[in-house]
Amino acid sequence: MTTTTVVHLLRHGEVHNPGAILYGRLPDFHLSENGTAMADLAAKWFEGRDVAALHSSPLERAQETAAPLAAATGLDVRLDDRLIEAANRLEGRHVSARSLRDPSLFRHLYNPFQPSWGEPYRRIVTRMVDVVKHARKEAWGREAVCVSHQLPIWMARMAAERKRLWHRPDRRQCNLASVTSLTFEDQRLVSVGYTEPAAELYGSDPVLPGA
């Protein structure tokens, strides 16, 4: 007999960011009204699932995304620094195709494979694998939800699928309030799933990732 456990990686909802800056780990970036609605839809998607553990990045937008699910399940949200957004040397800047021509940014852009502008991809994978293992153990035979951010979730998925880590940020399949699901039989990963519970609330404009 094998034991099936599912660890869901839930990305936070839309952030109120009128200045369109790369907010990274900066404090006081909260969900927008639309983002709050996304969090509600994500919580609704988990209705009827046997969720036994709920973890979140300590950043406000992640905690606010976890809140409706905590209310629905009665679970406490456990904050875990391993789920935090990737560190980024460009945070706080307005980043666009034009701004990337700024000579002051060139020293951060020399190696897209590491990447040179932020937390190394391998380091992100290490901490995300650690937290997934922790959540799997805690929710053994049931389901766990970990609320995190686009790049950490994408790195966890690329590692799970044994794919290269360097990539184009605009090609990540990890939309707002999306769920990336890792299904294990005992300790063996058997499938990776992806769904977008809040797709009806997506706009037509591209959303600047947090890192």
Side-chain angles (χ1 to χ4, degrees):
M1 291 285 291
T2 58
T3 299
T4 300
T5 309
V6 185
V7 178
H8 303 281
L9 304 177
L10 170 61
R11 188 187 172 194
H12 63 79
E14 182 185 273
V15 174
H16 180 65
N17 183 18
I21 72 166
L22 190 72
Y23 40 76
R25 295 180 177 178
L26 294 175
D28 298 324
F29 277 87
H30 299 268
L31 294 184
S32 64
E33 182 177 347
N34 196 46
T36 299
M38 290 180 177
D40 290 338
L41 286 174
K44 186 175 181 180
W45 185 83
F46 284 103
E47 285 182 359
R49 294 179 177 271
D50 189 16
V51 178
L54 178 56
H55 299 265
S56 174
S57 158
L59 295 177
E60 293 95 337
R61 58 192 184 269
Q63 293 191 57
E64 291 164 2
T65 301
L69 184 55
T73 60
L75 293 169
D76 292 331
V77 180
R78 299 185 183 183
L79 302 186
D80 194 318
D81 287 340
R82 292 173 293 185
L83 292 168
I84 200 168
E85 177 65 280
N88 194 308
R89 295 180 180 86
L90 306 182
E91 71 178 19
R93 293 176 180 259
H94 176 80
V95 179
S96 64
R98 177 175 296 179
S99 67
L100 291 176
R101 293 196 291 268
D102 183 344
S104 69
L105 300 184
F106 291 166
R107 62 193 176 95
H108 300 304
L109 305 177
Y110 63 89
N111 183 0
F113 304 104
Q114 184 180 22
S116 52
W117 57 83
E119 184 178 5
Y121 292 143
R122 288 289 177 189
R123 187 178 303 167
I124 300 172
V125 168
T126 296
R127 61 180 171 89
M128 290 298 290
V129 168
D130 283 347
V131 77
V132 166
K133 287 181 177 179
H134 176 82
R136 182 184 66 198
K137 182 178 180 180
E138 184 179 9
W140 189 255
R142 301 173 69 186
E143 303 188 26
V145 179
C146 298
V147 186
S148 188
H149 307 267
Q150 187 188 69
L151 180 54
I153 293 172
W154 187 243
M155 289 293 92
R157 178 173 173 178
M158 291 298 93
E161 295 180 342
R162 301 180 182 274
K163 294 180 179 178
R164 72 185 188 201
L165 300 182
W166 62 270
H167 61 284
R168 281 180 48 171
D170 61 344
R171 292 186 178 178
R172 297 171 189 162
Q173 188 185 39
C174 186
N175 220 323
L176 293 166
S178 64
V179 181
T180 298
S181 302
L182 308 177
T183 300
F184 297 87
E185 289 184 355
D186 293 336
Q187 298 181 358
R188 184 172 66 91
L189 179 69
V190 294
S191 69
V192 178
Y194 176 79
T195 190
E196 296 179 345
E200 66 191 71
L201 299 180
Y202 296 160
S204 58
D205 296 331
V207 177
L208 185 71

